[in-house]
Amino acid sequence: MQLRDRAGHEWFLKQHRDRDRYLAEVTAYLRWVPTLSDHAPRLRAHDATQRAIILSALPGHPARWPTATIDPTQIRAETAMHHQAGALLRRLHNAHSEPQPQYAAARLEELELLTRQAANLLTPGELGFARTEIQALASLPAPRLVPCHRDYTMRNWLIDSGKVYMLDFEWTQLNAWVTDLTRLHIGPWRTRPDLRDAFLDGYGRELDDADRVLLRADAALTTVWLVIKARESDQESFERANREALHRLMAEAW
């Protein structure tokens, strides 16, 4: 809901149905989002009893999904957007860091919880693939955890005169940095590696071998979770898209 105060400033009222999502978003705005300065909304007020927050309004329009184009002007605009989005994400990640020695075990536990929900949605082979990818994490040094947006896709970017803004922090949680690459990895970067390269250049870090193992594991876990969420919300096309993403991951692994 859009609001306007007596001084004419615009604000947005957002009310959560789920208490966990409310707490995650408030925590993000209080602890980590301020590092983004004016590239993200400002928290004006929050009320736990109503699970409601009031946020400052931002200019711009939602970022558009990239296309298979040869138009150099459009390519430059899209790569510049991803470069800036990568730099912005680095600022969020730099807001905090802490160790998690039991990272691999924690991700495997997440999958086991999802497996019980997905027993009638995914085949033993699909779930077995996800388990194998996550079990591979045990061979790696445990990554440090940073504040991850966990829904870092273009639908949560606003663009205004070339400036990128980050929105919607209700899934924010501490996790490995590559967690915030997953939705892009299984989405637009699949056909536009130039956007991935621009993003990582803006972030200031390349993927090493350990990062790729982490990314594959998170992609497998994420696609399983998204299939479940799509079925719960009766989004048939979204469910189908994430099944296809899971099958692509499986094909790439073979």
Side-chain angles (χ1 to χ4, degrees):
M1 179 186 299
Q2 193 165 359
L3 309 173
R4 188 185 300 272
D5 63 23
R6 292 179 179 177
H9 300 131
E10 293 187 349
W11 304 86
F12 281 93
L13 170 65
K14 181 176 181 179
Q15 188 168 29
H16 289 275
R17 295 180 180 179
D18 186 291
R19 179 171 175 81
D20 288 344
R21 302 282 67 77
Y22 164 79
L23 292 174
E25 188 148 34
V26 169
T27 298
Y29 275 109
L30 293 177
R31 295 183 182 179
W32 307 311
V33 175
T35 64
L36 302 176
S37 187
D38 63 344
H39 285 266
R42 176 167 54 90
L43 180 65
R44 176 66 177 83
H46 57 95
D47 186 304
T49 59
Q50 298 295 322
R51 298 185 302 280
I53 59 177
I54 295 178
L55 303 169
S56 60
L58 294 175
H61 57 81
R64 296 185 180 89
W65 190 269
T67 58
T69 179
I70 59 173
D71 177 41
T73 301
Q74 186 171 346
I75 289 174
R76 283 194 297 271
E78 291 174 347
T79 54
M81 177 180 69
H82 278 252
H83 187 278
Q84 189 177 159
L88 196 56
L89 183 64
R90 186 61 180 263
R91 288 169 60 176
L92 179 68
H93 288 178
N94 284 347
H96 180 76
S97 174
E98 65 180 58
Q100 166 52 297
Q102 303 302 318
Y103 182 79
R107 300 317 299 272
L108 190 58
E109 183 177 352
E110 286 182 52
L111 177 64
E112 296 307 325
L113 291 173
L114 292 176
T115 296
R116 292 196 283 273
Q117 300 176 57
N120 297 321
L121 292 176
L122 296 169
T123 68
E126 291 166 338
L127 292 170
F129 163 75
R131 184 173 293 104
T132 298
E133 293 294 291
I134 294 169
Q135 286 172 336
L137 298 176
S139 65
L140 302 178
R144 294 187 68 84
L145 305 188
V146 297
C148 287
H149 186 283
R150 295 180 67 234
D151 193 14
Y152 203 55
T153 64
M154 287 168 289
R155 68 174 187 163
N156 286 322
W157 306 349
L158 280 182
I159 310 298
D160 183 60
S161 300
K163 183 174 181 177
V164 177
Y165 299 88
M166 191 187 301
L167 303 173
D168 290 340
F169 296 86
E170 62 191 67
W171 292 102
T172 305
Q173 186 184 73
L174 295 176
N175 214 315
W177 77 281
V178 296
T179 299
D180 274 338
L181 309 187
T182 299
R183 299 292 296 275
L184 297 165
H185 172 69
I186 64 178
W189 291 356
R190 184 173 60 86
T191 56
R192 292 289 303 276
D194 60 314
L195 300 181
R196 176 199 61 211
D197 294 343
F199 186 100
L200 291 173
D201 184 62
Y203 190 91
R205 177 171 175 174
E206 293 296 323
L207 294 170
D208 60 24
D209 289 342
D211 292 329
R212 292 186 181 92
V213 174
L214 286 163
L215 183 56
R216 288 197 300 269
D218 194 82
L221 184 64
T222 296
T223 50
V224 169
W225 178 71
L226 289 173
V227 167
I228 295 170
K229 289 297 179 185
R231 177 62 65 90
E232 290 177 348
S233 56
D234 196 27
Q235 298 182 71
E236 184 178 346
S237 62
F238 190 51
E239 179 181 340
R240 182 170 57 253
N242 283 289
R243 286 182 186 277
E244 292 171 354
L246 178 57
H247 294 163
R248 286 195 299 270
L249 294 170
M250 295 171 69
E252 290 165 3
W254 293 334

